[in-house]
């Protein structure tokens, strides 16, 4: 069975769109949480988590 390049492109585009929407939702939740807390330790913890997630996302894109 041969793979149709158009089908493969559509599947990849759908996966990217879904990932983009999930990332936007996570950012919205994180931004909302930032506004709610004034604890510097908590903010630093969430900032480090966000940076790690960004690094992992970029690394997976490069491969």
């Amino acid at each position: 069975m041969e793979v149709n390049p158009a089908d493969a492109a559509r599947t990849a585009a759908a996966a990217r769109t879904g990932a983009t929407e999930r990332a936007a939702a996570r950012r919205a939740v994180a931004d909302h949480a930032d506004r709610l807390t004034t604890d510097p330790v908590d903010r630093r913890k969430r900032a480090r988590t966000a940076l790690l997630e960004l690094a992992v996302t970029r690394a997976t894109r490069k491969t």
Side-chain angles (χ1 to χ4, degrees), residues 24-41:
R26 281 192 302 269
R27 277 193 305 275
V29 169
D31 290 345
H32 179 69
D34 268 343
R35 281 182 252 131
L36 293 178
T37 184
T38 56
D39 182 20
V41 174

Side-chain angles (χ1 to χ4, degrees), residues 15-59:
R16 282 192 302 271
T17 301
T20 303
E21 290 171 356
R22 286 188 300 274
R26 281 192 302 269
R27 277 193 305 275
V29 169
D31 290 345
H32 179 69
D34 268 343
R35 281 182 252 131
L36 293 178
T37 184
T38 56
D39 182 20
V41 174
D42 188 41
R43 282 186 172 211
R44 250 181 268 131
K45 180 180 172 185
R46 279 188 277 107
R48 288 183 186 136
T49 303
L51 285 173
L52 177 62
E53 183 180 343
L54 178 64
V56 169
T57 302
R58 286 185 175 178

